[in-house]
Amino acid sequence: MKAEGNILSSKFVGARAPGVRIATTLAGALVLALLAACGKPDAVAEGAADAAPSANDGSIHPELWPQPEWPFPADPALEQKVDDLLASMTLEEKVGQIIQGDIASITPDDVRKYRLGSILAGGSSDPGGKYNATPAEWLAVSDAFWEASMDTSGGGKPIPIIWGIDAMHGQSNVVGATLFPHNVGLGATRNVELQRRIGEITALETRTTGMEWTFAPTVAVPQDVRWGRAYEGYSENPQLVAEFAAAMVEGLQGKAGSPEFLDDHHVMVSVKHFLGDGGTANGKDQGDTQASEAELRDIHAAGYVTAIAAGAQSVMASFNSFHGTKLHGHKALLTDVLKERMNFGGFVVGDWNGHGQVPGCTNDDCPATFVAGLDMAMASDSWKGMYETALAAAKDGTLSMERLDDAVRRILRVKFRMGLFDAPKPSQRALGAKFELLGAPEHREVARQAVRESLVLLKNQNALLPLHANQRVLVAGDGADNVGKQAGGWTLNWQGTGTTRADFPNADTIWEGVARAVEAAGGQAELALDGRYKAKPDVAVVVFGEEPYAEFQGDIANQLYKPGNDTDLELIQRLKADGIPVVAVFITGRPLWMNREINASDAFVVAWLPGSEGAGVADVLLRKPDGSVDHDFKGKLSFSWPRTAIESNVRAPGYQPLFAYGHGLTYADKGDLEPLSEESGIEGLQAAPGVYFANAMLAPGLSMRLENAQHHAAQVTTVPTGLHDKSLVVTAIDHQRQEDARQFAWSGDSAASVTIFAEPAQELSRETNGDLLLILTLRPDAVPASGQIGISAGASAPLPLRETLAALPAGQWTTLGVPLKCFAVAGADVEALDVLARLQSDSAATLSLSRVAVGAVNEAERILDCPTAK
């Protein structure tokens, strides 16, 4: 392993933020943990015994945890306000304060009746159900809920509601807002002050539409980038995360103790997700973190230490477990460590129905989560049930009055500290309706700077970069002119999918940035996404990468890039075969195994998820019109880059990255790279977990059964061709390659089916809960005018397909998605699926298939309507 970037510089080792006290027993463990995060995983194992008991059984020892200093001195006047209000509140009003509902499931009248303390707008919850609702519509909703909380005409106290939203990379829910790079790119900048400024701008733009609270920053320290939320983490290095966490908290909230702290130009934060979300086994979202207590404390809690010292007013509990105990029910961590040992004086909010995963709980009933230390339940669509059961628990003593009062006191204290009791409705506050701030030029310039400084150069063969702008430049690839793709998940909706160019009025695509720069220098720029140019270019910039995704749906089983799909590689190779130098610009939320694409390109640039300012990429790739260099590469890897597709966890024994943490070339460096190995370490359909059938092959462990109504069956482990009992004929056909698909022709003489079996049965409950689909790449060749043709899984009743297939273009390939929830509602046991997919027909029909897999919504061109699953 190269020394460059592997060991933290001396200024980081042993460093601590102001106001942070670290127990002396931790000093060695902290340094060891930092070394582990930089590619030396054995360090913790060798030294952890000095810092904590050696047992790795999930036990917690609060006395060994850090003690950040809460930056707010005693305030008798504030406490008197809280005490007076609390003493006057009814039990019902107290319970209302600890419940949060989502705007898609709650109305202002509900708030008026139940006196709830908070609302949220989830990732796909928008005014009127429109992902592209106008800023004015957002602000109107803010006013309506505020007015309901302050309306005392039906009795009750006027306690202002607080509205939370996932402003993840800017106010990314609102059309026209500035979209900053996601955290994975910001960590690559190493620019802490820039992060602080980004927080300030995000707060300003959030306040224009009435929200006072953002569910950010994410301070996870992802150790396995197969996790679909890895891009929400700044780095695999806990010290870097700790520095950025403090800066973002201060940027969003203002500096604790200063006059501007939580004023009308700032918003409250939720530091998330407490704790260990970046350390789950195999990078599974909402999975189990099996790290030692020392690793949990020194790596995964690093950002909370500095965030608390900076005055974070809220911490969000995590979905994950620690050694089998769900964090929403983990008293030792939520209460004993976070609130008592770490001196956190704000309140703990839950994640979306996360309380429902605590053993013995449901989404509607979970007093145990409050007993454990949660102060506000994010009961998004279960708020009414949670209100009623929490009220009952308070009445029968299951939820003690002492614990309830503590939770309400923490919430009220924050509301008083924010000045909400004295504030007018959102539209009448300092920034209400100041929509000109959304995507303001000065804000976009900061985002453009962040893009420039986040870019990481991995290869620059023969010093191809920087490009002279006064030449003929081709821009190709499906990411070249696509704001939605370059912005990624958590953009206008949860997964960031389904957006159009019109949804981003204040943005530049990478193509638009390149084209302006080239034309300004007297060159010629051409856009051809497929690379089919009109005039041969001097150089090609190929922009490609991951499709948008967010939590769970972004989980992958290895670090292969688009397994089974070589379209981007083939585009680069085709241009190179034409003698055209190629600059590859890779859009991604995480490091992936890209050896083939790196080998095929002359220069390889990691752009991460740059957001709205694609022109920032052009600023670095291209010289100024006079030939001078305006902006060099500054980005350094905040996550190490994999040598093979199976090296996913930085803490795995013997981990040897291809490019170490901290690596990143500049124009002054020699950027030549010897050819990399193109052996990924993964073979066949193992390369694409969740794929059942592709390239005319079944995945390992699967078999196919062809069966008619007389139960004459043929079960095989390879996809057959030929005549089968006259009721079904299977023929090899071409889709993308020779004989890579199969055509199934039902004669209609008797009902027949094609079934993909799994032995043993597969457990797909997480995929079902995560709204994944069964994706069929198919071609409807002949659809019956009547009769039954359907699809099922497990023991589910068949879901009718005939009308859906008839509506598809005949003879054309498409992707049809069937929500796994449809199968579950129809009777499938998704915890033990032996029948993964069964296509059956009792009429004459012909259907061609080239791929069957489990995938995300954005992979399907058409989704089967399933009203019962909604």
Side-chain angles (χ1 to χ4, degrees):
M1 189 183 305
K2 295 181 180 179
E4 179 184 358
N6 285 341
I7 300 178
L8 295 175
S9 63
S10 59
K11 70 175 182 178
F12 291 146
V13 177
R16 61 185 181 91
V20 180
R21 297 194 306 271
I22 301 175
T24 55
T25 53
L26 291 179
L30 284 170
V31 174
L32 292 168
L34 297 180
L35 291 174
C38 298
K40 295 186 178 298
D42 294 337
V44 168
E46 293 168 359
D50 296 332
S54 58
N56 188 15
D57 57 4
S59 59
I60 296 295
H61 303 81
E63 70 277 8
L64 295 177
W65 286 65
Q67 289 184 287
E69 183 177 339
W70 186 239
F72 302 98
D75 187 342
L78 172 61
E79 295 306 315
Q80 189 63 53
K81 290 179 182 179
V82 174
D83 289 344
D84 290 346
L85 179 54
L86 188 64
S88 71
M89 293 171 68
T90 65
L91 181 61
E92 289 77 9
E93 288 171 332
K94 291 179 180 179
V95 171
Q97 287 298 303
I98 66 173
I99 304 296
Q100 182 185 59
D102 182 79
I103 64 169
S105 305
I106 196 170
T107 67
D109 282 341
D110 291 326
V111 169
R112 190 173 282 109
K113 177 180 179 180
Y114 291 95
R115 318 305 295 172
L116 301 193
S118 179
I119 58 167
L120 79 145
S124 294
S125 299
D126 308 277
K130 300 183 298 182
Y131 80 90
N132 55 356
T134 66
E137 288 172 320
W138 279 102
L139 185 57
V141 171
S142 298
D143 277 353
F145 277 102
W146 180 88
E147 289 168 347
S149 70
M150 302 302 284
D151 184 354
T152 60
S153 60
K157 310 294 183 304
I159 303 176
I161 204 158
I162 186 169
W163 185 358
I165 195 165
D166 290 280
M168 300 283 286
H169 58 129
Q171 176 42 305
S172 51
N173 305 272
V174 178
V175 170
T178 307
L179 301 176
F180 296 96
H182 274 289
N183 288 354
V184 64
L186 296 178
T189 70
R190 301 299 200 273
N191 191 333
V192 175
E193 290 307 311
L194 177 61
Q195 175 67 85
R196 191 186 314 277
R197 179 64 181 138
I198 288 170
E200 293 170 352
I201 293 170
T202 301
L204 293 174
E205 297 198 13
T206 300
R207 280 287 196 167
T208 67
T209 49
M211 301 84 171
E212 311 98 342
W213 180 12
T214 175
F215 301 136
T218 299
V219 298
V221 188
Q223 302 295 285
D224 191 326
V225 297
R226 291 177 294 179
W227 183 37
R229 305 190 76 161
Y231 65 81
E232 295 182 38
Y234 295 108
S235 178
E236 67 190 28
N237 179 331
Q239 183 66 24
L240 185 60
V241 173
E243 292 183 332
F244 272 76
M248 189 59 165
V249 168
E250 289 191 350
L252 288 165
Q253 293 190 159
K255 190 170 182 61
S258 68
E260 70 269 13
F261 181 74
L262 287 179
D263 64 8
D264 275 359
H265 291 69
H266 293 85
V267 295
M268 188 181 89
V269 304
S270 261
V271 189
K272 65 184 187 182
H273 307 85
F274 193 85
L275 183 63
D277 50 345
T280 59
N282 300 315
K284 295 293 186 182
D285 190 59
Q286 303 184 21
D288 191 27
T289 300
Q290 299 167 5
S292 68
E293 181 183 7
E295 293 165 350
L296 184 72
R297 176 196 63 211
D298 301 336
I299 296 175
H300 300 288
Y304 296 93
V305 176
T306 55
I308 290 170
Q313 295 296 290
S314 173
V315 165
M316 183 179 289
S318 186
F319 276 118
N320 69 279
S321 306
F322 180 60
H323 287 271
T325 299
K326 282 289 180 180
L327 263 296
H328 276 70
H330 206 303
K331 183 176 183 296
L333 286 171
L334 293 182
T335 299
D336 301 345
V337 168
L338 178 61
K339 292 180 175 179
E340 296 180 2
R341 177 67 179 183
M342 296 179 72
N343 300 311
F344 174 60
F347 68 85
V348 178
V349 65
D351 207 340
W352 189 281
N353 283 333
H355 55 270
Q357 298 184 14
V358 175
C361 290
T362 66
N363 289 352
D364 300 293
D365 186 0
C366 192
T369 194
F370 298 114
V371 172
L374 200 77
D375 299 309
M376 181 184 287
M378 187 183 286
S380 45
D381 54 359
S382 59
W383 61 268
K384 189 173 182 181
M386 276 294 281
Y387 171 87
E388 292 171 344
T389 55
L391 181 60
K395 288 180 177 178
D396 68 19
T398 304
L399 174 58
S400 72
M401 191 57 60
E402 179 184 16
R403 173 76 270 270
L404 176 60
D405 282 353
D406 174 59
V408 177
R409 187 184 304 276
R410 286 171 175 270
I411 295 166
L412 295 179
R413 186 182 292 119
V414 169
K415 290 183 176 183
F416 275 114
R417 188 173 281 136
M418 291 184 70
L420 293 182
F421 285 88
D422 301 318
K425 62 182 179 180
S427 63
Q428 295 177 357
R429 297 175 191 171
L431 300 182
K434 301 283 187 184
F435 301 139
E436 64 273 15
L437 291 174
L438 294 169
E442 59 270 26
H443 295 177
R444 293 186 60 190
E445 182 51 45
V446 173
R448 188 166 173 172
Q449 176 189 350
V451 173
R452 290 195 296 263
E453 296 188 14
S454 68
L455 303 177
V456 177
L457 180 62
L458 297 183
K459 179 182 180 181
N460 192 19
Q461 208 77 8
N462 299 318
L464 175 62
L465 294 174
L467 301 174
H468 287 281
N470 60 348
Q471 58 183 329
R472 186 181 295 276
V473 179
L474 172 71
V475 183
D478 63 5
D481 196 30
N482 190 331
V483 180
K485 184 161 182 166
Q486 69 190 42
W490 293 105
T491 302
L492 298 185
N493 59 62
W494 177 35
Q495 296 290 324
T497 57
T499 59
T500 68
R501 182 65 182 89
D503 296 326
F504 305 101
N506 299 322
D508 283 321
T509 66
I510 294 173
W511 149 251
E512 290 165 345
V514 171
R516 278 202 303 271
V518 169
E519 290 165 5
Q524 293 177 289
E526 178 184 352
L527 176 67
L529 301 186
D530 62 1
R532 307 290 179 183
Y533 49 82
K534 296 177 182 177
K536 186 175 180 180
D538 298 308
V539 66
V541 177
V542 178
V543 187
F544 64 101
E546 291 190 293
E547 297 300 324
Y549 56 83
E551 59 191 278
F552 187 79
Q553 294 192 21
D555 284 4
I556 54 177
N558 54 59
Q559 285 183 272
L560 283 178
Y561 169 63
K562 289 185 178 178
N565 183 346
D566 292 338
T567 304
D568 299 317
L569 175 63
E570 291 166 355
L571 170 58
I572 295 170
Q573 291 173 331
R574 177 160 41 87
L575 291 169
K576 283 290 292 178
D578 288 350
I580 302 167
V582 173
V583 178
V585 177
F586 185 41
I587 295 173
T588 184
R590 53 195 156 198
L592 293 173
W593 185 76
M594 303 297 295
N595 287 21
R596 298 182 304 164
E597 290 81 1
I598 293 173
N599 283 343
S601 307
D602 295 281
F604 194 91
V605 177
V606 185
W608 310 111
L609 298 169
S612 61
E613 306 312 309
V617 177
D619 289 344
V620 182
L621 296 188
L622 297 165
R623 296 175 183 269
K624 295 169 64 176
D626 64 5
S628 63
V629 175
D630 199 7
H631 299 285
D632 200 344
F633 280 90
K634 292 184 177 180
K636 304 297 179 185
L637 290 177
S638 56
F639 291 86
S640 49
W641 201 272
R643 186 175 299 274
T644 70
I646 57 176
E647 294 178 341
S648 304
N649 191 328
V650 68
R651 294 189 45 73
Y655 178 69
Q656 290 284 334
L658 176 64
F659 300 112
Y661 169 90
H663 178 77
L665 301 170
T666 68
Y667 286 136
D669 296 320
K670 183 175 176 57
D672 293 352
L673 194 65
E674 293 296 321
L676 303 173
S677 168
E678 298 194 0
E679 294 296 325
S680 70
I682 300 174
E683 298 180 358
L685 287 189
Q686 292 176 340
V691 176
Y692 302 145
F693 167 62
N695 297 319
M697 296 186 297
L698 291 165
L702 304 188
S703 60
M704 179 172 284
R705 177 181 292 180
L706 308 175
E707 188 173 14
N708 63 20
Q710 288 72 44
H711 302 293
H712 294 154
Q715 185 159 329
V716 293
T717 55
T718 58
V719 182
T721 59
L723 181 66
H724 298 277
D725 271 305
K726 299 183 179 180
S727 55
L728 184 62
V729 175
V730 185
T731 306
I733 62 169
D734 300 342
H735 177 203
Q736 295 177 323
R737 296 175 180 80
Q738 184 176 1
E739 296 190 353
D740 64 340
R742 292 292 183 266
Q743 185 180 76
F744 299 91
W746 285 266
S747 68
D749 293 341
S750 64
S753 62
V754 179
T755 305
I756 298 177
F757 279 93
E759 295 179 10
Q762 293 194 6
E763 201 278 324
L764 293 178
S765 58
R766 290 180 68 254
E767 288 80 355
T768 303
N769 292 336
D771 292 326
L772 294 191
L773 302 85
L774 183 72
I775 308 287
L776 303 144
T777 303
L778 55 80
R779 188 182 70 190
D781 298 315
V783 180
S786 61
Q788 302 287 333
I789 181 169
I791 186 168
S792 58
S796 75
L799 303 172
L801 278 180
R802 188 177 59 81
E803 291 186 5
T804 300
L805 293 175
L808 297 175
Q812 293 185 25
W813 289 98
T814 190
T815 50
L816 175 65
V818 183
L820 296 180
K821 285 182 177 177
C822 292
F823 296 128
V825 170
D829 178 5
V830 293
E831 293 186 357
L833 272 184
D834 52 355
V835 174
L836 300 179
R838 175 181 284 126
L839 283 166
Q840 54 202 84
S841 179
D842 62 7
S843 304
T846 305
L847 187 65
S848 298
L849 280 177
S850 72
R851 190 173 185 268
V852 180
V854 171
V857 172
N858 61 359
E859 298 176 45
E861 297 172 74
R862 176 72 181 268
I863 297 177
L864 183 69
D865 188 33
C866 181
T868 55
K870 292 179 180 177

